[in-house]
Structures are given as C-alpha cells and as structure tokens.
Amino acid sequence: MSFALHLINGLQMGSIYALVALGYTMVYGIIKLLNFAHGDIIMVGGYIALFSLTLGRMPALLAALVTVAGCTLLAVIIEKLAYTPLRFAPRLSLLITAIGISILLQNLAQFFFTANDRGFPGHLLFPTGSVSIGGLSIAYTSIITVALSIASMAALHLLVKSTKLGKAMRAVSEDQGAAQLMGINVNHIITFTFAVGAALAGVGALLYSVRFPLIAPTIGAMLGLKAFVAAVFGGIGSIPGTMVGGYAIGLLEALVTAAGLSGWVDGVVFLLLIIVLMVRPTGLMGRPIMEKV
C-alpha cells in the first residue's frame, strides 16, 4: 500500500476519532465528567444501524436518522437516570458510575445479541467503489467519511459559537452558578450537551461500522479509549483541540502502519497519552486549570 493511501486511511480514522472525542470533551467541559460509557453508545448505534438496514429494510438515510436518534435518546436516558442523581456527588462517584454504565451496556448487548461478531452491510449505507485521482484510487467511503465528519464538526462549531443554546453551553462551562443566576436552566443545558455529543456518536457509529464492518458488544471499548486519548492530546474541554487531536491520532496510526509496525499501533497511541500527560497535561490547546488554595 502506498504512503498516500496510508495517509488517506489516517484521515478517515482521524475523522471518526474526532467525532467520538467531541462527545468526551463537550461533557467534560460542562460537568467535568469523563463519560467512559460514550464508546458503548457507539456500539449500541452500530446495532441500531445493523437492524435498521437488515430487519427493518430501511433506506440508508432513514436508517442513519434512526441510529442518530437512538444514540441521542440512550444518552439522555443515561444522563437522567445515572448522572443527574449524582450531580453534586464527588467526581470519583461519577467516574465509577460511568465505568459501570459502560460494563452494563456491554453485558446487555451480549445478553440480547450474543458475543459473536455480526457482519455490517456497509454497501446498504454508502456506495461502493472508488474514484481515481492522480493515479490514486480513493474509496467513496473514505471521501464520504471525511466530508461528513467535517460537516458535522462545522455544524457543531456554528451551534456553540452562533446560537443562543451554544452561548448558554459556554456560560455553564465557565461558571454554573453564575449561569443559573442569569436565568439559564443548567439541567436542560447539561442534558442538551449529552444529546449533542451522542448525536455525533451516532454519526461516528455509522462511519466506524462501514470502516470496520463487524459489530460486537465490545467494539466501543477500544474506540472510546482512543477517542479519549485524542481528546486529552488536543486538550479535553477544547472543541478545536479535540478535532486536532482526533486527526493527529488517526495520522499517527497511519504512519506507524506505514512503517510496518501495525502490531504496535495501540501501544504507540497510549504511549503518546503518557508523554502528553507528562509534558503538557492540559493538551495542545487546553487551558491551564486555576484553583483557589
């Protein structure tokens, strides 16, 4: 495989990592929660897309909308049932709860769908084939993945920067108490943030399922961890930084694979996390945290 194709694959995976990582960074930016159940919401989205396309025989666009809606609804339910009662609990309690939700979703998926891999019919969602550019054959799925991810991230940027809800989200992120005094319903904004992050996860579930067309109860675990690394690398809490981090991780994996070290890809990614935490704990574009003493 040529080096250029490795870079294209890196951009494709980086787009997926960036979308998934945005869910981590948005929730962390609002309530300082590392939502480790986020990757498993993507796993559920994969199953929703699979059954929508096969059992439901839905058109591609309708199946995509159902998948995004299903992920969004699941995230809102989890936030209301598991996280809201712990809103003022220690952060460790929230973290343990998030890990518990992750394990619960994986076990429920194994109970209902078994632990066996299921093939994903990506050809029912995206067109097959490729286009030749300068003698380089690029799959339609790669082009659609990058284009759809950029469009989703641009829409998120406009939402956060140019809408009333986006301004409320930024206000709650800065100071929940002050935002509440200004008339902002903090609970509604937190729920809305979870919903937006899960909607992006739904898009990520579709793109990831086409890229790796096997659905299993554990597919969200490693994807979620790598997206978390991307968020930390770029600066968790920073939306632009998270986007940069996602593409950086995707391209790093591509470079490691191009060097013939594909078996070391996961190790290199987590080594990067260790280095970043040692050298710059706030990430490339993260802001230093000021605390009163």
Side-chain angles (χ1 to χ4, degrees):
M1 184 183 294
S2 69
F3 184 73
L5 284 178
H6 280 295
L7 290 181
I8 291 171
N9 289 335
L11 287 174
Q12 183 179 4
M13 281 308 302
S15 298
I16 297 172
Y17 289 146
L19 276 180
V20 179
L22 284 171
Y24 279 105
T25 207
M26 290 175 64
V27 171
Y28 183 84
I30 294 291
I31 60 173
K32 300 299 183 286
L33 165 66
L34 296 175
N35 183 21
F36 284 116
H38 191 63
D40 298 286
I41 292 176
I42 294 169
M43 174 269 294
V44 174
Y47 277 108
I48 294 174
L50 172 65
F51 294 130
S52 297
L53 291 168
T54 55
L55 298 181
R57 297 186 181 279
M58 297 180 184
L61 180 58
L62 180 58
L65 292 176
V66 168
T67 300
V68 173
C71 290
T72 302
L73 179 61
L74 176 61
V76 170
I77 292 173
I78 291 173
E79 192 272 330
K80 289 297 183 185
L81 295 182
Y83 298 147
T84 298
L86 299 174
R87 185 66 48 79
F88 301 105
R91 292 182 188 175
L92 182 60
S93 300
L94 279 168
L95 178 61
I96 293 173
T97 300
I99 296 173
I101 293 295
S102 172
I103 296 172
L104 175 64
L105 290 176
Q106 290 182 29
N107 280 270
L108 285 175
Q110 290 185 32
F111 178 78
F112 286 109
F113 311 128
T114 76
N116 297 326
D117 295 342
R118 293 172 181 259
F120 186 85
H123 64 281
L124 297 178
L125 193 63
F126 291 162
T128 57
S130 60
V131 59
S132 181
I133 301 177
L136 187 65
S137 182
I138 305 175
Y140 287 131
T141 55
S142 298
I143 297 172
I144 294 172
T145 296
V146 175
L148 190 56
S149 298
I150 291 175
S152 299
M153 289 184 279
L156 175 64
H157 179 78
L158 289 175
L159 170 67
V160 173
K161 295 295 184 182
S162 305
T163 68
K164 188 175 180 179
L165 277 172
K167 292 177 182 178
M169 290 169 64
R170 284 183 282 144
V172 172
S173 176
E174 289 291 336
D175 192 321
Q176 287 191 21
Q180 196 165 18
L181 290 174
M182 296 301 294
I184 296 174
N185 190 320
V186 173
N187 288 330
H188 287 177
I189 295 301
I190 292 174
T191 301
F192 179 73
T193 302
F194 270 87
V196 173
L200 294 174
V203 177
L206 296 169
L207 301 178
Y208 188 77
S209 298
V210 172
R211 178 68 177 84
F212 299 102
L214 287 176
I215 306 297
T218 56
I219 63 168
M222 184 57 70
L223 173 60
L225 284 174
K226 287 186 177 180
F228 172 67
V229 173
V232 173
F233 178 75
I236 192 164
S238 167
I239 290 177
T242 299
M243 296 178 189
V244 172
Y247 282 105
I249 296 300
L251 290 172
L252 175 64
E253 288 188 348
L255 292 174
V256 173
T257 302
L261 301 173
S262 57
W264 291 83
V265 167
D266 293 344
V268 171
V269 169
F270 290 104
L271 176 62
L272 176 65
L273 173 63
I274 295 171
I275 294 173
V276 169
L277 291 176
M278 291 174 59
V279 177
R280 187 175 174 81
T282 57
L284 292 179
M285 302 176 68
R287 294 181 301 174
I289 300 174
M290 305 296 292
E291 293 186 0
K292 293 181 179 180
V293 295

